[in-house]
Amino acid sequence: MKSPICEMLGIEFPLLAFSHCRDVVAAVSRAGGFGVLGATVHSPDTIEQELKWIDDHVDGRPYGVDVLIPENISTAGEKHVTWKSLEARIPPQHRDFTRDLLKKYDVELATTSVADNQPQPFDRETALQLLEVSFRHPIRLIANALGVPPREMIEMGKKHGVPVAALVGAKEHALRQVAAGVDILVVQGTEAGGHCGEVSTMVLVPEVIKAIKPIRDVPVLAAGGIMTGRQMAACMAMGAAGAWTGSVWLSTVESETTEIFREKMIAASSRDAVRSKGRTGKPARQLRSVWTDAWDRGENSPGALPMPLQSIISRDAFHSIDRAAASGNARARDLVSYFVGQGVGLIDSVKSAGAVVQEFKEDFVEAIEHMNALVAE
């Protein structure tokens, strides 16, 4: 294909796959797409291990790395913030609410010990360290979400000749990113899993393309609810240079998700993917569960804390939930959740990541042939 994304990244098909799972990243890249590893949960040591594994299993195909450096976070401007110091800021009523909620479903809340100097979640300096490690490997893209990448990140990309992508959920965000110098815009509609805005992909993609056109030629990747090659073709018909996908890989055999969550995805409809602050403190689309209902609409809910405090609450809670569900606690299944987009309604089975890439290609070609036939008529 002649998409500028294919030329920039050295790929044959402009399908990008975001995943926290190295197996998905490698499988997608081997199949002709472009895997992007979500690095937020890693330390410099563990990201080194993950990228070395990908290098050994990607057959020389290109891949990228995604970090999360929020512009707006409750600890902005503070230095040397640790998990320990943040844990001390969590109000007792939030701890009690979490413990009581899990207890109703026979889940014992277990706490995970952390080192005294472990940085806070979404720590800016840690993310930049992750990128420094990543550039020791043959990565072809770096990406950031939740705001304009810091100047150091953009400079790193230019120094190493690696494009910098940024996720946006509104036209205003896109204009700021273009002004900052990013190379690729991931225009993500509200259908997407994880942190997302309120405008649909079908509206947002052409709106952003129109807004940035007079300023600078920046390729746009469409994101949000894209689960098939036909949807990808539709977005490219609107002017996108390719697609950025995430939720579709959660149901693959290589994914990091649990068997229980995959079963819940297959049973879910698009309306079961809801925006909730209950997991991170910012609106993030995830599978509706007792947890989301309790935090969003519960009678005694204290309300979600701002990022990153809510992430500290939910981390131990979901570790406990997943362990309880896996051990046979049927009631714990009602609490099981994960980030997923509205495209979950299109998931009907578990497949390999390579098979999903092939289906995207076939659906894409069929969509193009269908459009050509309509034009010919």
Side-chain angles (χ1 to χ4, degrees):
M1 292 184 65
K2 295 182 179 179
S3 165
I5 291 297
C6 292
E7 297 175 9
M8 291 176 76
L9 303 181
I11 55 179
E12 62 187 56
F13 189 58
L15 173 66
L16 279 74
F18 169 85
S19 176
H20 291 291
C21 180
R22 66 187 188 183
D23 300 80
V24 171
V25 171
V28 170
S29 289
R30 286 198 307 268
F34 188 91
V36 182
L37 181 69
T40 304
V41 299
H42 289 289
S43 68
D45 288 339
T46 60
I47 195 67
E48 169 65 28
Q49 296 169 13
E50 294 292 280
L51 297 185
K52 185 179 185 306
W53 187 93
I54 293 174
D55 292 342
D56 293 340
H57 292 81
V58 81
D59 294 345
R61 299 296 185 97
Y63 68 93
V65 171
D66 180 286
V67 295
L68 187 63
I69 308 177
E71 273 192 286
N72 299 312
I73 192 169
S74 64
T75 53
E78 297 184 41
K79 293 185 178 180
H80 310 302
V81 181
T82 65
W83 273 85
K84 290 280 191 183
S85 65
L86 288 180
E87 285 177 341
R89 302 184 193 183
I90 297 174
Q93 62 265 34
H94 287 76
R95 292 189 181 280
D96 293 343
F97 180 78
T98 302
R99 188 176 294 104
D100 292 345
L101 173 61
L102 267 60
K103 191 174 181 180
K104 287 180 183 177
Y105 290 83
D106 303 324
V107 176
E108 186 72 28
L109 179 61
T111 57
T112 304
S113 60
V114 296
D116 290 341
N117 63 345
Q118 181 173 324
Q120 66 171 320
F122 318 116
D123 179 66
R124 180 180 183 276
E125 295 308 315
T126 300
L128 293 175
Q129 291 172 21
L130 295 177
L131 290 175
E132 288 176 0
V133 173
S134 299
F135 280 119
R136 300 174 195 160
H137 298 264
I139 60 171
R140 294 291 297 272
L141 176 77
I142 55 175
N144 183 59
L146 292 183
V148 175
R151 176 179 49 81
E152 298 96 321
M153 182 174 175
I154 294 177
E155 290 178 352
M156 280 183 182
K158 293 187 183 304
K159 175 183 176 182
H160 293 275
V162 172
V164 179
L167 277 72
V168 300
K171 178 184 73 174
E172 303 79 47
H173 300 164
L175 293 172
R176 291 184 62 227
Q177 299 282 12
V178 170
V182 302
D183 303 296
I184 299 169
L185 289 176
V186 179
V187 179
Q188 179 178 269
T190 190
E191 299 95 325
H195 298 106
C196 60
E198 301 175 86
V199 183
S200 74
T201 305
M202 182 65 74
V203 172
L204 187 61
V205 169
E207 183 183 20
V208 167
I209 291 173
K210 180 180 179 181
I212 67 173
K213 186 174 182 180
I215 305 171
R216 187 160 60 89
D217 186 17
V218 180
V220 163
L221 290 170
I226 300 173
M227 311 291 283
T228 69
R230 290 180 180 274
Q231 290 172 293
M232 179 178 173
C235 289
M236 293 181 73
M238 294 191 294
W244 174 283
T245 56
S247 298
V248 68
W249 312 106
L250 296 175
S251 61
T252 60
V253 294
E254 296 91 345
S255 173
E256 76 279 13
T257 55
T258 66
E259 183 178 348
I260 291 171
F261 183 71
R262 291 177 197 163
E263 291 172 358
K264 293 186 75 168
M265 280 194 293
I266 291 171
S269 73
S270 58
R271 288 180 295 180
D272 291 319
V274 298
R275 289 173 83 232
S276 170
K277 292 183 179 181
R279 188 133 184 174
T280 70
K282 288 183 180 288
R285 196 171 295 283
Q286 54 208 274
L287 196 66
R288 183 180 179 183
S289 68
V290 168
W291 176 272
T292 58
D293 285 350
W295 282 98
D296 297 340
R297 294 186 288 274
E299 225 176 82
N300 301 315
S301 172
L305 292 168
M307 178 184 274
L309 296 177
Q310 190 68 20
S311 296
I312 289 179
I313 290 177
S314 63
R315 181 195 65 162
D316 286 343
F318 278 100
H319 284 171
S320 302
I321 291 165
D322 289 340
R323 279 197 297 266
S327 67
N329 181 343
R331 300 196 71 209
R333 292 175 65 99
D334 293 337
L335 286 158
V336 170
S337 182
Y338 196 59
F339 304 110
V340 71
Q342 290 179 319
V344 69
L346 293 171
I347 294 175
D348 57 11
S349 62
V350 176
K351 305 170 184 175
S352 72
V356 173
V357 175
Q358 186 59 34
E359 286 185 4
F360 258 86
K361 291 179 179 179
E362 293 171 358
D363 285 350
F364 183 88
V365 170
E366 288 180 7
I368 298 301
E369 290 176 345
H370 176 69
M371 290 301 297
N372 288 339
L374 291 176
V375 172
E377 292 177 2

